[in-house]
Amino acid sequence: MGTESKRQQRFGGVIQQDLAELFLRDGKNWAPGAFITVTKVRVTPDLAIARVYLSFLNTNTAKDDIASIKAKVSEIRYKLGARIKNQARIVPDLEFFLDDTNEYVEHMDRLFDEISKEPRQSD
């Protein structure tokens, strides 16, 4: 996959900002108890598909929460369309993915902690 054009980046930023506001306002209905962050939005060159990466805080059921959001994709797309109707000709199809960057960072931190606790071997 190549680099995104300025147009894709700009449109992705608009979608990211509007989805973030939607999740802040309505996220408790789609994933109760979780704080949802839109970490990244990648848009296809024809602007027809937006791949949205979500991070969940204050929850241990992130996989269930992302499944719940995927089940509500048409409602979320409709609400997004109402917000961006003056900025875009079409509302892109939304694909939601779990952004597990935080889990990866925590895993790497644990590995580095284990390495630093091991006794050093002399050469």
Side-chain angles (χ1 to χ4, degrees):
M1 177 160 34
T3 60
E4 290 184 321
S5 69
K6 292 284 186 195
R7 180 174 174 229
Q8 288 171 273
Q9 291 174 359
R10 192 168 42 247
F11 190 54
V14 167
I15 292 172
Q16 182 174 359
Q17 183 176 2
D18 287 333
L19 280 177
E21 291 173 12
L22 272 175
F23 283 122
L24 187 61
R25 193 180 71 222
D26 297 333
K28 61 187 171 293
N29 300 329
W30 301 320
F35 181 74
I36 305 168
T37 305
V38 181
T39 56
K40 185 174 18 179
V41 175
R42 298 275 187 233
V43 183
T44 57
D46 62 355
L47 307 182
I49 300 172
R51 293 181 178 95
V52 182
Y53 295 86
L54 302 175
S55 176
F56 296 88
L57 301 175
N58 297 337
T59 184
N60 293 327
T61 59
K63 288 183 176 40
D64 295 335
D65 292 338
I66 194 80
S68 171
I69 287 172
K70 285 180 179 180
K72 307 269 192 214
V73 70
S74 60
E75 177 187 348
I76 296 168
R77 185 173 181 249
Y78 176 80
K79 289 183 177 192
L80 176 66
R83 296 178 74 101
I84 67 169
K85 64 184 177 195
N86 296 327
Q87 300 168 356
R89 280 186 286 150
I90 62 165
V91 180
D93 290 328
L94 300 174
E95 296 177 354
F96 291 104
F97 299 95
L98 183 61
D99 184 357
D100 56 358
T101 305
N102 289 338
E103 293 172 16
Y104 178 75
V105 168
E106 290 174 7
H107 174 71
M108 294 305 292
D109 284 343
R110 283 193 302 273
L111 288 176
F112 286 128
D113 286 344
E114 288 176 20
I115 291 170
S116 67
K117 290 178 184 175
E118 291 179 4
R120 301 224 180 231
Q121 296 177 355
S122 60
D123 291 335

